[in-house]
Amino acid sequence: MNIQNWFMGVVEEEMDPREMGRVKVRCFGYHSPDRKLLPTKDLPWTQTIFPVTAGPATGSAGSSPALKIGSIVFGAFYDGNELQDAVILGTVPGGVLKQANYDPVTEVGYGSEFGPFGPGIPEGAGSNEVTLDAASVGVVAPEIASVEPKKYADPTEVPSSAASGIAAKALKEVKEGVKEINGTNKGRGIQKYWSATSAGEGGYGQIWCAAFACWVVKEGSGLPKDKLPTSAFSNNWIDEWARTNTDLVEVYYAAPNASSIKPGDILVRRKVGDSHGHVSIVTKGTDSAGNFQTVDGNSGNAVRTVTRKTNSLSHRHYILRIKKTNIPPNNGEPQNDLPTGPGIDPDGSGLFPNT
């Protein structure tokens, strides 16, 4: 048990299929308030702590915490920075929650689309009804990047062959047999990958999966020079490249979209609280058995083909897909609502490098 992160949040689901008293909680500051990016169904189940007098004594199915949708609860994650396993230690008494700051039109905010249920936080003496706002409880999740706001007046010309070109270029590098010398991150062909990054060839000798992906996109996509990914850090593919190029890059949570993975997609794996991540190039889409294929740099100290299963994807995996349209969203405004839930560094530091 590794208790590092305490939380308060709002219950969004109470019907535990295992009848173990679990609920789903959207935690302030940890989970994105945007239901489109982090639906209720994707929130982890959270166990409730019962007193020893609760039955059954074994703590198995049948116990009920009497928590309702909209209840404000307090607890702790006991898996450190993994942020997947948590326990609820109590609920905040008094008051009536008025949907927190949830907007049913935009589906953004903490609370419930089903209305004002459950206990809330008393506003003061003589009052037992309160409407929560973002400032009062700090419910606005931190942004995952500090990219300066920027408008994109002109849409990017995206070649129709961008995705197929990326996949083909990655497969060609497999045939070239690029690999390290004795696990040194150095070897024939690897140095050229670093030339496509902001680190330049001075990065040669460092962990290189993202550098490989930068080079593949540069050589295979046909995108303009100012629209290419250049970071050798996996988190920056989401935090910087995708966020500042919303006219050409779409971001999806991989797990719920695994069946639609396509050649040319870029698969990014991130891990909260750790320095590990990975960038892969998809070369074969999902088949009927739930398998798909990627080409990875720095995988087994080489560029190699990897067969993956869709059911192995988790909240840490994201799909970056180059659009086929030349029309930018939101009149070219930068996208400021990329995933901020589990799998994205919750403190917004953006300091987690790649593999």
Side-chain angles (χ1 to χ4, degrees):
M1 182 176 293
N2 184 11
I3 295 180
Q4 296 181 10
N5 299 286
W6 300 88
F7 69 84
M8 290 186 69
V10 181
V11 174
E12 289 190 8
E13 175 62 64
E14 58 177 322
M15 301 300 292
D16 181 1
R18 295 185 181 180
E19 298 183 347
M20 296 171 58
R22 301 176 303 171
V23 295
K24 292 194 173 187
V25 179
R26 191 173 299 272
C27 300
F28 304 148
Y30 291 99
H31 296 140
S32 170
D34 193 333
R35 301 294 201 288
K36 297 185 291 297
L37 295 173
L38 182 59
T40 299
K41 66 181 179 63
D42 291 336
L43 291 170
W45 286 104
T46 303
Q47 185 63 59
T48 302
I49 297 296
F50 291 94
V52 295
T53 54
T58 60
S60 58
S63 300
S64 174
L67 291 172
K68 300 297 182 183
I69 293 175
S71 297
I72 298 179
V73 295
F74 168 78
F77 294 96
Y78 58 85
D79 58 351
N81 287 322
E82 294 292 323
L83 304 178
Q84 293 302 292
D85 297 316
V87 290
I88 295 171
L89 302 177
T91 182
V92 180
V96 176
L97 177 65
K98 286 187 174 180
Q99 294 186 319
N101 66 340
Y102 177 73
D103 183 342
V105 177
T106 62
E107 299 184 41
V108 175
Y110 294 84
S112 169
E113 60 182 305
F114 303 107
F117 303 130
I121 299 177
E123 190 171 12
S127 172
N128 67 348
E129 192 170 274
V130 59
T131 297
L132 299 178
D133 57 35
S136 64
V137 290
V139 300
V140 178
E143 290 191 5
I144 59 174
S146 57
V147 178
E148 291 297 322
K150 179 180 179 182
K151 289 187 177 181
Y152 301 96
D154 300 318
T156 299
E157 293 295 327
V158 180
S160 59
S161 60
S164 60
I166 290 172
K169 183 61 67 174
L171 286 169
K172 184 177 179 181
E173 289 302 289
V174 175
K175 294 181 180 179
E176 292 291 330
V178 178
K179 60 182 179 180
E180 297 178 9
I181 300 173
N182 299 325
T184 60
N185 289 323
K186 296 182 178 182
R188 183 182 63 83
I190 295 175
Q191 189 167 1
K192 70 181 180 184
Y193 302 147
W194 285 97
S195 66
T197 72
S198 55
E201 293 188 6
Y204 181 56
Q206 302 299 314
I207 296 171
W208 51 280
C209 73
F212 166 75
C214 284
W215 184 86
V216 168
V217 173
K218 176 185 176 183
E219 297 296 320
S221 69
L223 293 175
K225 183 178 179 180
D226 63 340
K227 295 292 185 177
L228 294 170
T230 60
S231 177
F233 293 88
S234 61
N235 57 300
N236 287 350
W237 283 67
I238 298 174
D239 296 350
E240 295 181 6
W241 185 52
R243 181 186 290 279
T244 58
N245 291 287
T246 56
D247 56 336
L248 70 94
V249 182
E250 296 175 301
V251 181
Y252 302 88
Y253 279 101
N257 292 283
S259 61
S260 63
I261 289 176
K262 303 176 181 179
D265 285 350
I266 300 161
L267 185 68
V268 178
R269 174 176 59 83
R270 306 180 65 179
K271 188 173 183 181
V272 174
D274 202 327
S275 61
H276 294 281
H278 196 65
V279 183
S280 306
I281 304 296
V282 177
T283 54
K284 185 180 293 184
T286 309
D287 62 21
S288 58
N291 299 318
F292 65 100
Q293 180 179 285
T294 65
V295 168
D296 298 33
N298 202 21
S299 176
N301 298 332
V303 176
R304 67 186 186 102
T305 300
V306 180
T307 298
R308 302 180 183 276
K309 294 185 176 294
T310 54
N311 61 13
S312 68
L313 300 178
S314 71
H315 65 276
R316 303 188 186 101
H317 291 86
Y318 302 87
I319 300 168
L320 277 60
R321 178 173 297 162
I322 296 177
K323 300 178 182 179
K324 293 184 178 180
T325 176
N326 293 332
I327 303 175
N330 304 320
N331 296 318
E333 293 287 351
Q335 184 173 329
N336 292 317
D337 57 354
L338 291 177
T340 55
I344 299 295
D345 48 333
D347 65 356
S349 65
L351 297 178
F352 303 141
N354 65 338
T355 42

